[in-house]
Coordinates of all heavy atoms in Angstrom, one line a residue:
V1521 N 137.4 156.6 84.7 CA 136.9 155.2 84.9 C 137.6 154.5 86.2 O 136.9 153.8 86.8 CB 137.0 154.3 83.7 CG1 136.7 152.8 84.0 CG2 136.3 154.8 82.5
G1522 N 138.7 154.9 86.4 CA 139.6 154.4 87.6 C 139.7 152.9 87.3 O 140.4 152.4 86.4
R1523 N 139.2 152.0 88.2 CA 139.4 150.6 88.1 C 138.1 149.9 87.4 O 137.9 148.6 87.5 CB 139.6 149.9 89.4 CG 141.0 150.3 89.8 CD 141.4 149.5 91.1 NE 142.7 149.9 91.6 CZ 143.8 149.5 91.3 NH1 143.9 148.4 90.5 NH2 144.9 149.9 91.8
G1524 N 137.2 150.6 86.7 CA 136.0 150.2 86.2 C 136.4 149.5 84.9 O 137.5 149.4 84.4
E1525 N 135.3 148.9 84.1 CA 135.5 148.3 82.9 C 135.7 149.4 81.7 O 135.0 150.4 81.6 CB 134.4 147.5 82.5 CG 134.4 146.2 83.5 CD 133.3 145.1 83.0 OE1 132.3 145.5 82.3 OE2 133.5 143.9 83.3
I1526 N 136.6 149.1 80.8 CA 136.8 149.9 79.7 C 137.0 148.9 78.5 O 137.5 147.9 78.5 CB 138.2 150.6 79.8 CG1 138.3 151.5 81.0 CG2 138.6 151.4 78.5 CD1 139.7 152.1 81.3
C1527 N 136.4 149.5 77.3 CA 136.6 148.7 76.1 C 138.0 149.0 75.5 O 138.2 150.2 75.1 CB 135.4 148.9 75.1 SG 135.5 148.1 73.6
F1528 N 138.8 148.0 75.2 CA 140.0 148.4 74.3 C 140.0 147.8 73.1 O 139.6 146.7 72.8 CB 141.1 147.7 75.2 CG 141.5 148.4 76.4 CD1 140.9 148.0 77.6 CD2 142.6 149.3 76.6 CE1 141.2 148.6 78.9 CE2 142.8 149.9 77.8 CZ 142.2 149.6 78.9
L1529 N 140.2 148.7 72.0 CA 140.1 148.3 70.6 C 141.3 148.7 69.9 O 141.7 150.0 70.0 CB 138.8 149.1 70.1 CG 138.2 148.7 68.8 CD1 137.8 147.2 68.8 CD2 137.1 149.5 68.4
Q1530 N 141.8 147.8 69.0 CA 142.9 148.2 68.3 C 142.6 149.0 67.0 O 141.7 148.7 66.4 CB 143.8 146.9 67.9 CG 145.0 147.2 67.1 CD 145.9 145.9 66.8 OE1 145.4 144.9 67.2 NE2 146.9 146.1 66.0
Q1531 N 143.6 150.0 66.7 CA 143.5 150.7 65.4 C 143.9 149.9 64.3 O 144.8 149.1 64.5 CB 144.3 152.0 65.6 CG 143.9 153.0 66.6 CD 144.9 154.1 66.7 OE1 144.9 154.7 67.7 NE2 145.7 154.4 65.7
Q1532 N 143.3 150.2 63.1 CA 143.9 149.3 62.0 C 145.1 150.0 61.4 O 145.9 149.2 60.9 CB 142.8 149.5 60.9 CG 141.6 148.7 61.2 CD 140.7 148.3 60.0 OE1 141.1 148.5 59.0 NE2 139.5 147.9 60.3
H1533 N 145.4 151.2 61.6 CA 146.6 151.8 61.2 C 147.2 152.7 62.5 O 146.6 153.6 62.9 CB 146.4 152.8 60.1 CG 145.8 152.1 58.9 ND1 146.4 151.3 58.1 CD2 144.5 152.2 58.5 CE1 145.6 150.8 57.2 NE2 144.4 151.3 57.3
P1534 N 148.4 152.2 63.0 CA 148.9 152.9 64.1 C 149.1 154.3 64.0 O 149.3 155.0 65.1 CB 150.2 152.0 64.3 CG 150.2 150.9 63.6 CD 149.1 151.1 62.4
M1535 N 149.4 154.8 62.8 CA 149.7 156.3 62.7 C 148.5 157.2 62.8 O 148.7 158.4 62.8 CB 150.6 156.4 61.3 CG 151.8 155.7 61.3 SD 152.9 155.8 62.7 CE 153.4 157.4 62.6
T1536 N 147.3 156.6 62.8 CA 146.2 157.5 62.9 C 146.1 158.1 64.3 O 146.2 157.4 65.3 CB 144.9 156.6 62.7 OG1 144.9 156.1 61.4 CG2 143.6 157.6 62.9
L1537 N 146.2 159.5 64.4 CA 146.4 160.2 65.7 C 145.1 160.0 66.6 O 145.2 159.8 67.8 CB 146.7 161.6 65.4 CG 148.1 161.8 64.7 CD1 148.4 163.3 64.5 CD2 149.2 161.2 65.7
R1538 N 143.8 160.3 66.0 CA 142.7 160.3 66.8 C 141.6 159.6 66.0 O 140.7 160.2 65.3 CB 142.2 161.7 67.2 CG 143.0 162.5 68.1 CD 142.4 163.8 68.5 NE 141.2 163.6 69.2 CZ 140.3 164.5 69.3 NH1 140.4 165.5 68.7 NH2 139.1 164.3 70.0
P1539 N 141.6 158.3 66.0 CA 140.6 157.5 65.4 C 139.2 157.8 65.8 O 139.0 157.8 67.0 CB 141.0 156.1 65.4 CG 141.8 156.0 66.7 CD 142.5 157.4 66.8
R1540 N 138.2 158.2 64.9 CA 136.9 158.6 65.4 C 135.8 157.8 64.6 O 134.7 158.0 64.8 CB 136.7 160.0 65.1 CG 137.7 160.9 65.8 CD 137.9 160.8 67.2 NE 136.8 161.6 67.8 CZ 136.6 161.8 69.2 NH1 137.4 161.1 70.0 NH2 135.7 162.5 69.7
M1541 N 136.2 156.8 63.7 CA 135.3 156.2 62.8 C 135.5 154.7 62.9 O 136.7 154.2 63.0 CB 135.3 156.6 61.4 CG 135.1 158.2 61.1 SD 135.2 158.6 59.5 CE 136.9 158.3 59.1
M1542 N 134.5 153.9 62.8 CA 134.7 152.5 62.8 C 135.6 151.9 61.7 O 136.3 150.9 62.0 CB 133.4 151.7 62.6 CG 132.4 151.7 63.8 SD 133.2 150.9 65.2 CE 133.4 149.3 64.7
G1543 N 135.8 152.6 60.5 CA 136.6 152.1 59.6 C 138.1 152.2 60.0 O 138.9 151.5 59.3
Q1544 N 138.4 152.9 61.0 CA 139.7 153.2 61.4 C 140.1 152.1 62.6 O 141.2 152.2 63.0 CB 139.9 154.6 62.0 CG 139.7 155.7 60.9 CD 139.6 157.0 61.5 OE1 139.1 157.2 62.6 NE2 140.3 157.9 60.7
L1545 N 139.1 151.3 63.0 CA 139.3 150.5 64.2 C 138.8 149.1 63.7 O 138.0 148.9 62.9 CB 138.5 151.0 65.4 CG 138.8 152.3 65.9 CD1 137.8 152.9 66.7 CD2 140.3 152.4 66.5
Y1546 N 139.3 148.1 64.4 CA 138.9 146.7 64.3 C 137.5 146.7 64.9 O 137.2 147.4 65.9 CB 139.9 145.7 64.8 CG 141.1 145.6 64.0 CD1 142.3 146.2 64.3 CD2 141.0 144.9 62.8 CE1 143.4 146.1 63.5 CE2 142.1 144.7 62.0 CZ 143.3 145.3 62.4 OH 144.5 145.2 61.6
E1547 N 136.7 145.6 64.6 CA 135.4 145.6 65.3 C 135.3 144.6 66.6 O 134.4 144.6 67.3 CB 134.5 145.1 64.3 CG 134.2 146.1 63.2 CD 133.3 145.4 62.2 OE1 132.6 144.4 62.3 OE2 133.2 146.1 61.0
V1548 N 136.4 143.9 66.7 CA 136.4 143.0 67.9 C 137.5 143.5 68.9 O 138.6 143.9 68.6 CB 136.8 141.5 67.6 CG1 136.8 140.8 68.8 CG2 135.9 141.0 66.5
G1549 N 137.0 143.8 70.2 CA 137.8 144.3 71.2 C 137.8 143.5 72.4 O 137.3 142.4 72.4
C1550 N 138.4 144.0 73.5 CA 138.5 143.3 74.7 C 138.0 144.2 75.9 O 138.6 145.4 76.0 CB 139.7 142.7 75.0 SG 139.8 141.6 76.5
I1551 N 137.2 143.9 76.7 CA 137.0 144.5 78.0 C 138.1 144.4 78.9 O 138.6 143.3 79.1 CB 135.6 144.1 78.7 CG1 134.5 144.2 77.7 CG2 135.6 144.8 80.0 CD1 134.2 145.6 77.3
G1552 N 138.6 145.5 79.4 CA 139.8 145.4 80.4 C 139.5 146.1 81.7 O 138.7 147.1 81.6
V1553 N 140.2 145.9 82.7 CA 140.2 146.5 83.9 C 141.6 146.9 84.3 O 142.5 146.1 84.3 CB 139.7 145.7 85.1 CG1 139.6 146.4 86.4 CG2 138.2 145.3 84.7
V1554 N 141.7 148.2 84.6 CA 143.1 148.7 84.9 C 143.6 148.1 86.3 O 142.9 148.2 87.4 CB 143.2 150.2 85.0 CG1 144.6 150.7 85.5 CG2 143.0 150.8 83.7

Side-chain angles (χ1 to χ4, degrees):
V1521 175
R1523 293 188 184 263
E1525 291 187 338
I1526 300 171
C1527 178
F1528 290 86
L1529 191 61
Q1530 186 177 354
Q1531 297 177 201
Q1532 291 196 20
H1533 303 286
M1535 300 313 291
T1536 303
L1537 295 179
R1538 288 186 68 205
R1540 309 297 277 179
M1541 299 181 296
M1542 282 302 296
Q1544 298 172 317
L1545 302 163
Y1546 289 100
E1547 294 179 7
V1548 180
C1550 185
I1551 302 299
V1553 176
V1554 174

